[in-house]
Amino acid sequence: MPAIRNLSRAVKQVLQKPGCGCQIAILPVRCLGFSPRQVTSDASFHSVSFSETDHPRVLITGGLGQLGVGLAKLLRKHFGKNNVILSDIRKPPDSVFYSGPFIYSDILDYKNLREIVVNNRITWLFHYSALLSAVGEANVPLARSVNITGLHNILDIAAEHGLRLFVPSTIGAFGPTSPRNPTPDLCVQRPRTIYGVSKVHAELMGEYYHYRYGLDFRCLRYPGIISADTQPGGGTTDYAVQIFHDAVKMGKFQCNLKPDTRLPMMYINDCLRATLEVMEAPSERLSMRTYNISAMSFTPEQLVQEVQKHVPELQVTYNVDAVRQAIADSWPMIFDDSNARQDWGWKHEYDLPELVNTMFSFLGSVSPISRIARIN
Ligand SMILES: NC(=O)c1ccc[n+]([C@@H]2O[C@H](COP(=O)([O-])OP(=O)(O)OC[C@H]3O[C@@H](n4cnc5c(N)ncnc54)[C@H](O)[C@@H]3O)[C@@H](O)[C@H]2O)c1
Ligand SMILES: C[C@@H](O)[C@H](N)C(=O)O
């Protein structure tokens, strides 16, 4: 393990010569400004000069999923189109390709990632690549590789180049032994999915790099996210997006969770705004580096009732998927986000009725049956 050998040599050197002005006995690890991964001798760390008045230069990984395109749009509004690079391993649709910088980036390719960060003078990184809960269970080796090995690459690159790093975690980072109603920030976390395990690992590694190397790591645990113009990537909360599309297109919906399965959910605009807000928050406001954020909690049957106010003839059946149901039954029902609210002023804007109104204003609330009636 050359990297570890290198690391312990560097630790010894720092401890022998405390160049950062700290006393050895009380040496705070954040004074150790070296990189966790060996790099070539001519590499210059923290070479990006980035003053508070500059806009950050942003890279989003896994940007073609449910959340990345919306995040790029929001960040481009704030920081300028060319300061935000979207990346993924998939081919972007024309609408994305022509809306701002897009590049290929596989997070498992460490050298390529480093080249992108260096060549584009990246200062902020939003790490969205992941396999979600249900697809993760269907392909554990791939989920382990993308969600864990990929994260290690991201952490090392971010630490080496002095980046501010955002990594989303999830309600899925909790498990059956966690308190579920409500679930606080700090409690037992023993998830039973590879997705959850990899997210707990991400939280802990990010916090460790923060305290050990001074990495500016910031992490929010998202609830299930609901969006109108992007499709979810294979999670347990996907039903809460699918119902809107099926209601509008077909007037019927088959739900893969039981009617009384309560889960925390959030409209995408709140989620992306929270992400920007926590990234912009002054460090001294962050008493923690990983926060729960919350907006609403509902069951399929409560969502159906609200949707039926717009599509009264919607027919709903239940065909429970055993894998997804077991996952949902181990996740929080109500998320306690009081620390986020207190520390950096988090406040959601969308509750259930507002969410449903907004979804239908995007997708069109005229139900298939009333549409047919109007045509006739
Ligand atoms: N959507 C939600 O409800 C939700 C909730 C909680 C947390 N999150 C987290 O937010 C992030 C984004 O979620 P999402 O819903 O957009 O996910 P998604 O599944 O829709 O998209 C993930 C993207 O990662 C990309 N990817 C896969 N392997 C890759 C690789 N090797 N290199 C680069 N990219 C790769 C995929 O091509 C895909 O576009 C994830 O980390 C997820 O865990 C999402
Ligand atoms: C909750 C979240 O992480 C994702 N939507 C999933 O269900 O897997």
Side-chain angles (χ1 to χ4, degrees):
M1 300 286 277
I4 293 186
R5 267 203 304 277
N6 221 33
L7 185 63
S8 31
R9 208 175 305 133
V11 171
K12 269 188 210 142
Q13 279 166 7
V14 172
L15 290 173
Q16 279 158 11
K17 280 188 187 175
C20 58
C22 305
Q23 298 298 314
I24 292 176
I26 52 160
L27 183 71
V29 285
R30 295 200 59 181
C31 290
L32 307 180
F34 50 79
S35 159
R37 196 180 288 223
Q38 185 175 16
V39 293
T40 50
S41 56
D42 61 345
S44 76
F45 292 162
H46 309 264
S47 58
V48 177
S49 71
F50 171 52
S51 81
E52 286 300 308
T53 51
D54 287 336
H55 283 318
R57 302 254 323 146
V58 175
L59 175 68
I60 304 171
T61 67
L64 292 184
Q66 186 191 0
L67 306 185
V69 173
L71 180 69
K73 204 168 158 193
L74 177 71
L75 298 179
R76 282 173 182 156
K77 236 186 251 166
H78 279 73
F79 304 133
K81 182 166 119 176
N82 293 322
N83 285 323
V84 179
I85 301 173
L86 202 58
S87 73
D88 207 300
I89 51 172
R90 294 190 279 145
K91 194 159 99 177
D94 284 357
S95 58
V96 172
F97 189 72
Y98 293 111
S99 65
F102 177 89
I103 50 175
Y104 171 88
S105 170
D106 181 348
I107 57 157
L108 296 173
D109 184 345
Y110 176 79
K111 279 181 74 178
N112 171 247
L113 258 181
R114 189 209 279 164
E115 195 175 315
I116 290 168
V117 165
V118 169
N119 287 351
N120 295 286
R121 300 179 304 117
I122 296 300
T123 56
W124 284 17
L125 201 164
F126 294 79
H127 176 48
Y128 269 5
S129 311
L131 262 65
L132 303 193
S133 59
V135 292
E137 288 313 291
N139 192 343
V140 173
L142 184 63
R144 197 180 64 179
S145 166
V146 173
N147 296 8
I148 298 179
T149 309
L151 172 89
H152 293 169
N153 288 341
I154 294 287
L155 286 170
D156 284 352
I157 300 272
E160 269 179 27
H161 297 281
L163 308 186
R164 185 171 297 183
L165 173 64
F166 179 83
V167 179
S169 186
T170 161
I171 49 173
F174 298 92
T177 50
S178 308
R180 297 180 62 216
N181 188 1
T183 306
D185 281 304
L186 297 177
C187 62
V188 170
Q189 285 180 268
R190 286 291 180 276
R192 300 226 177 126
T193 59
I194 185 65
Y195 178 60
V197 168
S198 68
K199 289 295 186 177
V200 177
H201 178 73
E203 294 175 6
L204 291 174
M205 286 296 286
E207 291 181 10
Y208 175 72
Y209 269 51
H210 171 67
Y211 295 114
R212 186 70 176 77
Y213 304 115
L215 172 66
D216 192 351
F217 170 80
R218 299 169 187 223
C219 174
L220 297 180
R221 295 192 190 104
Y222 294 162
I225 306 301
I226 298 168
S227 58
D229 53 354
T230 48
Q231 291 293 329
T236 302
T237 57
D238 291 9
Y239 90 87
V241 177
Q242 198 57 44
I243 186 172
F244 292 96
H245 294 279
D246 290 0
V248 169
K249 280 194 211 131
M250 302 188 292
K252 57 184 179 185
F253 171 65
Q254 190 173 77
C255 185
N256 54 21
L257 293 182
K258 288 184 194 162
D260 61 350
T261 311
R262 179 175 298 279
L263 290 169
M265 301 278 185
M266 182 178 280
Y267 184 56
I268 189 168
N269 288 17
D270 273 344
C271 163
L272 300 179
R273 182 172 53 79
T275 304
L276 178 57
E277 283 176 8
V278 79
M279 282 295 270
E280 289 189 316
S283 267
E284 58 275 14
R285 297 277 299 274
L286 305 177
S287 67
M288 307 187 301
R289 289 285 156 166
T290 303
Y291 288 93
N292 293 348
I293 50 163
S294 178
M296 65 192 99
S297 269
F298 55 74
T299 63
E301 108 194 303
Q302 287 171 326
L303 179 59
V304 167
Q305 272 172 19
E306 207 58 43
V307 169
Q308 280 173 335
K309 291 182 186 165
H310 296 256
V311 185
E313 63 278 22
L314 173 68
Q315 292 166 17
V316 178
T317 50
Y318 291 88
N319 183 12
V320 172
D321 175 283
V323 173
R324 282 184 167 83
Q325 187 64 50
I327 294 174
D329 287 342
S330 74
W331 281 3
M333 293 191 276
I334 308 262
F335 227 22
D336 173 357
D337 63 354
S338 46
N339 288 314
R341 288 175 193 264
Q342 193 177 305
D343 284 5
W344 45 276
W346 162 242
K347 202 166 180 288
H348 71 276
E349 284 176 2
Y350 292 80
D351 57 13
L352 179 55
E354 186 67 29
L355 162 87
V356 174
N357 285 337
T358 309
M359 287 296 283
F360 279 116
S361 71
F362 267 103
L363 298 172
S365 59
V366 183
S367 67
I369 293 169
S370 17
R371 200 180 296 134
I372 291 163
R374 264 202 283 166
I375 293 166
N376 294 335

